[in-house]
Amino acid sequence: MYSTNSSIYFSSRNSSFVKYSTIKTYGVSDVEQFTIDGERYLAIANAHNDTHSRVSSVVYKFNQHFLKKGKPPFSIVQKIVTEKIESIQFFRSNKKHFLLIFENVKNSTPTIYEWERKHFVKRSNYGWQIRGCLRGITPIEIDSSMYFICESVNPTHEVTSLYKWTGSSFNEFQTFESSRNRKMYGFKANGNAFLVASSSEFGKFKNTYIYRWNGTKFTFHQVLFEDIGEGGHIFVNKKNKNTYLAVPTDIHDSWTVYSIKTDGFFQLQQKIKRPADSLYSFKHIGNIYIAIANYYGNSSIYKWFC
């Protein structure tokens, strides 16, 4: 069943999660939360209902004061018809707000929407130079410029490309040759920007390669001798001022925490032999928690102790 409800929980002062609200969803492939002019929004990428993959993805506005009136806190701002949507990304540039939508349809290119008068408007005048995006795009901001990581494909192998947003178009900036079924994503830590090229081919061990921004482009930085999955998350421990990267590893049979040193090198900190398909770190009342999503079993929440 694709048509179902998704739930939102919040953490109360007694260190437990309480169900907060319910939203009608259809085979959700991605979720993006963002803020515009002090207002909070939630974009839901609905990929498939019980009959077809052309459904409406929805942008919600969070209205906390609705709770006092006994109303649901999330109200619909806009519906956007999408087909086989895989990812939805929000970004800001030159005081403008954008949604970038990738649909996994043959010969498709990402679609960009610009925020205008309380809703998003589709823009066709922003040029794309992206050829055959395979699994969507991932944004990373470097030195006040926006870059987007896109996995594209040619007849023999995959090519991961980095595109730079000029304010009116997306231009190819740098390319990375990669073996089939590898995933690349970016993040920033300790004043550095990194790209992680990680394996996603089931049952085959591959090393993971780290690239670091040198001021003008990304160059090879370090190899990690294990299979790091996609969906890593950065968190900072203010008590010891250390930065960490938590990631699914070993074809999602475990998850690992790396300490990122001040020189930018990654050092193994802890390995947990529990399945993890994706994870997310968050802070609450001075503590750091890591939520683990497991596709085939129970999901868990871990507390980080330094």
Side-chain angles (χ1 to χ4, degrees):
M1 293 291 289
Y2 290 96
S3 301
T4 185
N5 291 328
S6 294
S7 300
I8 298 170
Y9 290 78
F10 77 97
S11 180
S12 61
R13 285 283 173 176
N14 60 7
S15 300
S16 63
F17 283 89
V18 179
K19 191 172 182 179
Y20 188 64
S21 183
T22 300
I23 293 176
K24 186 70 174 179
T25 55
Y26 301 90
V28 174
S29 61
D30 198 11
V31 177
E32 181 83 333
Q33 64 88 21
F34 51 91
T35 303
I36 298 177
D37 298 331
E39 303 283 356
R40 288 182 285 177
Y41 296 87
L42 182 69
I44 303 291
N46 290 315
H48 203 291
N49 59 20
D50 294 328
T51 57
H52 50 78
S53 58
R54 186 175 176 80
V55 295
S56 291
S57 294
V58 185
V59 178
Y60 293 89
K61 181 180 178 181
F62 176 69
N63 308 280
Q64 189 170 10
H65 63 278
F66 278 11
L67 289 173
K68 298 179 181 179
K69 300 179 181 179
K71 298 180 179 180
F74 290 92
S75 59
I76 295 176
V77 171
Q78 183 177 2
K79 293 183 178 181
I80 301 173
V81 177
T82 54
E83 183 173 3
K84 294 182 180 179
I85 184 171
E86 186 154 316
S87 67
I88 185 167
Q89 298 285 348
F90 173 83
F91 73 98
R92 297 182 179 88
S93 177
N94 296 326
K95 298 182 180 180
K96 296 181 179 180
H97 311 281
F98 300 94
L99 268 188
L100 208 51
I101 292 177
F102 174 74
E103 298 167 293
N104 195 1
V105 181
K106 186 178 181 180
N107 298 323
S108 68
T109 58
T111 305
I112 188 166
Y113 292 80
E114 183 178 349
W115 183 258
E116 184 178 288
R117 298 178 182 177
K118 304 298 182 181
H119 70 288
F120 286 99
V121 178
K122 185 177 180 179
R123 298 301 191 196
S124 58
N125 57 324
Y126 291 128
W128 277 106
Q129 314 247 346
I130 292 181
R131 300 175 298 278
C133 247
L134 185 63
R135 298 188 191 91
I137 53 179
T138 305
I140 180 171
E141 184 177 358
I142 305 172
D143 299 332
S144 300
S145 295
M146 290 301 303
Y147 295 84
F148 295 85
I149 305 161
C150 172
E151 296 168 85
S152 54
V153 64
N154 67 28
T156 59
H157 61 284
E158 290 183 11
V159 178
T160 300
S161 298
L162 189 69
Y163 290 83
K164 184 176 182 179
W165 168 251
T166 67
S168 60
S169 65
F170 296 83
N171 296 331
E172 190 171 73
F173 181 81
Q174 186 176 357
T175 60
F176 305 85
E177 299 289 329
S178 58
S179 59
R180 186 163 297 279
N181 291 326
R182 295 183 69 84
K183 175 74 176 180
M184 181 176 278
Y185 58 92
F187 59 89
K188 294 191 292 186
N190 295 340
N192 295 297
F194 297 96
L195 295 182
V196 177
S198 58
S199 172
S200 61
E201 187 172 358
F202 183 76
K204 293 185 179 180
F205 175 83
K206 292 181 179 179
N207 296 330
T208 296
Y209 298 90
I210 309 294
Y211 298 85
R212 183 166 68 172
W213 181 259
N214 68 3
T216 58
K217 65 178 182 179
F218 282 98
T219 57
F220 172 75
H221 177 61
Q222 184 181 357
V223 60
L224 303 178
F225 296 100
E226 69 172 337
D227 177 17
I228 289 182
E230 60 185 277
H233 211 267
I234 291 290
F235 64 94
V236 178
N237 188 338
K238 291 185 177 181
K239 294 180 181 179
N240 58 20
K241 298 182 180 180
N242 288 340
T243 302
Y244 301 91
L245 171 68
V247 287
T249 47
D250 299 334
I251 320 296
H252 305 300
D253 285 337
S254 63
W255 60 282
T256 303
V257 176
Y258 285 90
S259 174
I260 305 176
K261 302 302 180 182
T262 54
D263 59 6
F265 279 86
F266 293 66
Q267 179 177 311
L268 181 65
Q269 181 79 18
Q270 184 180 11
K271 193 177 186 70
I272 298 92
K273 282 290 185 179
R274 294 289 180 89
D277 287 285
S278 63
L279 52 81
Y280 186 85
S281 65
F282 61 96
K283 296 180 181 179
H284 179 63
I285 316 180
N287 295 310
I288 299 172
Y289 300 88
I290 300 177
I292 304 297
N294 182 13
Y295 186 82
Y296 293 103
N298 294 330
S299 297
S300 306
I301 295 177
Y302 289 79
K303 184 177 180 180
W304 177 258
F305 291 92
C306 62

